[in-house]
Each structure stands twice: as C-alpha cells, then as structure tokens.
Amino acid sequence: MLIVAALGALLHAVPAIPPAFAGDDPALAKLKGIWSGTFEQYSHDTEGSFPVKLTIDAISGTEFSGTMDWPSFDNTRTRVKGMVDGPLIKWTETAHLRGENAVLHGLYVARFKADNEIAGDWMDPKHTINSKGPRFGTPGGDFVLTKGIAAWRS
C-alpha cells in the first residue's frame, strides 16, 4: 500500500507531458507552401517535361491537402490529398478543380533531397498500385520540386 500511495503522489507531482503531434514535426512544417518544378512523364501515351506547381495549404496530423497546377495542360488545377509516412511524402490528385487534362488518382511518392527540395516518382493509376510494394506500383513519371514562388515558371 505504501508503494501505491507513493506512486500516486509522484504521478500528481509530475507535470503532464503533451504528446508529440505530427504537425509539430519540422519535416511537416517544411511542407506547407508552394513547391514548383518539372514533371517528367512517360506514360498515358504522353512523354515530355512539364512545369507543375504543388501548393500545400493545410496540414493536420500527418495528413495534408492542397492543389496542383498544370499550365501545359490547359491550366488544369487539381485537388491534392496526402500524408507523411516516415521519410516518404505521398499524395494523390483526387479531383479536377479547373480543366480536365490531368490524370487523377496516381500516387506521388517523394523524399526530401534538401530543405527546399523534394523528388520522387509518380505511380501510374492505369497499373495496379500497391502502396506496400517496393516502388508503390508502376512508375509513370518522376519529378523534382523546389519550395518557393521564385521557382515557379508558368
């Protein structure tokens, strides 16, 4: 009984330690903002290099949302939903907000290359996507994005 009482007193004396929130993670904080660069596509009967802008405007826990702009595809804009999974940044385009010339539901898988640069692969949705697989499906493109408005070229 004495041990239980002492333990109870100790627990009341120790201030509560707030849990670590993913939103407080420095890597997540670095994601919010405008990322722009080049997307190299080699699927869907399209091959080429295209400018793209990813805007991450909301972060909640390990999830984020925003938009992607494709000036080469009739100024198409899509809605984006994603998450941070350890060192991986994953997202998909879920809906067309303007235009219809972007392929929806592909999986982007990226990593930080520097504080202001992410790079990765786009997994083509016309093939089976296995989010647990070594490359998350069949690559249909790759990209490098740099943070900051100055990098955006329309």
Side-chain angles (χ1 to χ4, degrees):
M1 287 301 261
L2 183 58
I3 294 173
V4 172
L7 183 57
L10 180 61
L11 289 175
H12 286 295
V14 175
I17 299 171
F21 291 102
D24 296 334
D25 183 329
L28 271 167
K30 287 191 292 187
L31 275 179
K32 194 168 186 178
I34 297 171
W35 297 82
S36 56
T38 304
F39 177 79
E40 302 285 338
Q41 185 171 339
Y42 41 85
S43 68
H44 272 67
D45 299 322
T46 302
E47 290 192 24
S49 179
F50 307 99
V52 62
K53 178 174 71 171
L54 168 66
T55 302
I56 297 175
D57 53 22
I59 296 175
S60 177
T62 60
E63 297 180 353
F64 61 87
S65 62
T67 59
M68 285 184 85
D69 288 283
W70 299 95
S72 296
F73 301 132
D74 295 328
N75 244 1
T76 293
R77 175 177 281 174
T78 58
R79 168 69 49 211
V80 169
K81 286 190 169 194
M83 67 178 290
V84 174
D85 183 10
L88 300 179
I89 307 158
K90 300 187 247 182
W91 72 90
T92 189
E93 294 168 280
T94 61
H96 291 107
L97 299 175
R98 179 178 63 224
E100 295 183 358
N101 289 326
V103 175
L104 298 179
H105 308 296
L107 179 65
Y108 294 83
V109 181
R111 292 178 184 264
F112 275 100
K113 296 298 181 186
D115 280 348
N116 67 337
E117 183 178 271
I118 58 175
D121 295 312
W122 174 70
M123 304 305 154
D124 190 331
K126 72 180 180 181
H127 302 289
T128 301
I129 293 175
N130 178 358
S131 62
K132 304 269 186 221
R135 291 189 50 89
F136 306 95
T138 303
D142 55 66
F143 57 91
V144 176
L145 303 176
T146 304
K147 190 171 185 181
I149 296 173
W152 173 242
R153 288 168 266 163
S154 50

